[in-house]
Every structure is written in structure tokens, then in C-alpha cells.
Amino acid sequence: MQISPSILSADFANLERELGRIANADWAHVDVMDAHFVPNLTLGLPVVEALARVSPIPLDCHLMIEDPERWAPMYAEAGGDSVTFHVEAARDPRQVARDIRAAGARAAMAVKPGTDFAPYEELLPELDMVLVMTVEPGFGGQSFMADQMPKVAQVREAVRRHGGEIWIQVDGGVSAKTIEQCAEAGADVFVAGSAVYGAEDAAAAVNELRALVGEHTH
Ligand code: DX5
Ligand code: ZN
């Protein structure tokens, strides 16, 4: 069970300090948006490089961008320890995953709420993690979509069939209220933006989330 706070809800004027607030987390989730794949723009390669230089924990880069064939391996080279691309944006998801791994990072594939996982099950051998979005990607602070839990369970079942250690991440609206149903459905990596950075003590919020799912095993 791993917690990956999203710095989308952090103070962008003080990112090094904001990473220090979550040094007890497993990952720092970095939301890269290009104003094309999603209607929002955040940060890109130079900022990821800078974060990698100072982060006390590994970077979990979530690419909400077009043309992952071109960009995803560069986020691995820039210091992303895990790089997630959206399957909706990929022309050749298998190749993207292979190129991320070849560049030295864990490869992950994300599916938006309206995207079925089943057609992509055959890609599991190329993947280290599947991200099931629990909001429409683009913004922090949105409401959790509980209707995505059957998809989490479906991915867990597929991972079980396939074997190997593939993590299942949820992202969007994850909080103390919603994290347990995610774990029950089969998730084991939890992204939380506003629930962590909106708290006065971000590290305590990370510990609280971890304690809520600590008992679950898959
Ligand atoms: C949304 C991003 C999320 C976002 C989550 O597109 O991918 O990582 O930061 O924020 P919360 O936890 O506030 O929903
Ligand atoms: Zn994200």
C-alpha cells in the first residue's frame, strides 16, 4: 500500500519545500498537462528535472499529454522513476511502455473514466502499473467517481490472471472518506492531492491515509 501525494495542489512557488512536507510518502505524484490532451497546463521537462534534483522521494510522473511516443521516454530520462502515459493519447501503447522501461523507469498506463480496460489487458506484460482515473483528468479537487471501482476490480482480476507484480493506482478525489473503497476494490497505490496538501500537516495526512488502507492485502 503506497501513498503518492499530487503536487498539483502544492504551492508552485515553493516546490522544494512542498516536497519536504511529504518526505514520508512513497512517491511524489507530478501531473504534467499540455492544454491539449486536457484543458489545463501545468509543468514540463525542465521542472521535472529540477524536482528530481531535490526530491527526497521518487517521482511518479502522470503525463496527461498528447504524443507520449515522443515525450514519455524523456520524462524517464529527466528523472521520473515511474512514468504514466494515457492510453487514449497513444498510437502504439506497447512501444511507449517499452521505451519508458528502456529509459530506466517503471512504465504505467492510465485509463480515463470513460475508457474500458479490457481491450488493453494484453499489454500487462509491458506494464509495471495501471492507473484507473477516478475523476476526469485535468484538475485537482474534483469529486471521487465511485463508479470506477468495478474497473479497479476488473484490472485486479486481470493482474491476478496474468501474474507478476503490477501495481494498480487510483487518482482523483482520493481522501480519508474514499480511500478504503479503493483498497477494497483492489488498488494499492493511492494518489491524493487536495486531501494531503489541503491539510495543515501534510505528513500527518499521508500517515492517516496509509493507516486506513494498511490492513488490506490483495
Ligand atoms: C487530476 C490529476 C490528479 C489530481 C488529484 O487530473 O491527475 O493527480 O492532482 O487531485 P485530488 O486528489 O485533489 O483529486
Ligand atoms: Zn494525476
Side-chain angles (χ1 to χ4, degrees):
M1 297 291 159
Q2 305 187 67
I3 309 293
S4 185
S6 166
I7 62 167
L8 186 60
S9 296
D11 176 3
F12 271 31
N14 294 285
L15 286 175
E16 182 172 10
R17 191 188 69 198
E18 293 288 77
L19 286 170
R21 290 175 68 199
I22 56 154
N24 62 329
D26 300 281
W27 298 85
H29 185 84
V30 181
D31 287 307
V32 177
M33 306 188 190
D34 67 353
H36 288 271
F37 182 71
V38 288
N40 195 5
L41 180 68
T42 53
L43 53 87
L45 284 168
V47 177
V48 169
E49 276 171 17
L51 292 170
R53 278 201 301 275
V54 300
S55 182
I57 53 177
L59 299 183
D60 165 29
C61 294
H62 176 195
L63 307 184
M64 287 159 276
I65 61 174
E66 289 180 355
D67 205 1
E69 282 78 5
R70 174 178 178 194
W71 294 106
M74 288 195 251
Y75 281 88
E77 284 156 17
D81 301 280
S82 174
V83 176
T84 303
F85 66 94
H86 267 270
V87 71
E88 302 88 355
R91 291 181 304 280
D92 187 350
R94 186 181 306 273
Q95 195 58 49
V96 179
R98 286 183 180 168
D99 288 347
I100 292 170
R101 280 181 168 174
R106 295 176 61 90
M109 181 184 83
V111 285
K112 296 204 284 184
T115 303
D116 280 342
F117 171 72
Y120 306 109
E121 184 174 336
E122 63 189 42
L123 295 175
L124 283 176
E126 317 287 346
L127 299 171
D128 299 297
M129 182 169 81
V130 176
L131 164 53
V132 176
M133 290 301 301
T134 43
V135 297
E136 282 301 333
F139 301 92
Q142 303 182 77
S143 299
F144 178 76
M145 295 170 70
D147 63 355
Q148 297 301 301
M149 294 303 96
K151 194 195 290 181
V152 172
Q154 183 195 357
V155 178
R156 175 55 64 194
E157 198 41 53
V159 166
R160 213 169 266 141
R161 270 200 306 276
H162 163 263
E165 212 211 305
I166 300 170
W167 300 344
I168 302 175
Q169 185 177 62
V170 284
D171 180 11
V174 175
S175 70
K177 279 201 185 70
T178 59
I179 194 168
E180 285 169 284
Q181 55 184 293
C182 297
E184 271 152 31
D188 52 10
V189 186
F190 308 88
V191 176
S194 45
V196 169
Y197 277 106
E200 192 137 338
D201 186 340
V206 169
N207 287 337
E208 187 197 349
L209 291 173
R210 201 185 266 125
L212 284 167
V213 294
E215 304 299 307
H216 288 272
T217 46
H218 299 301

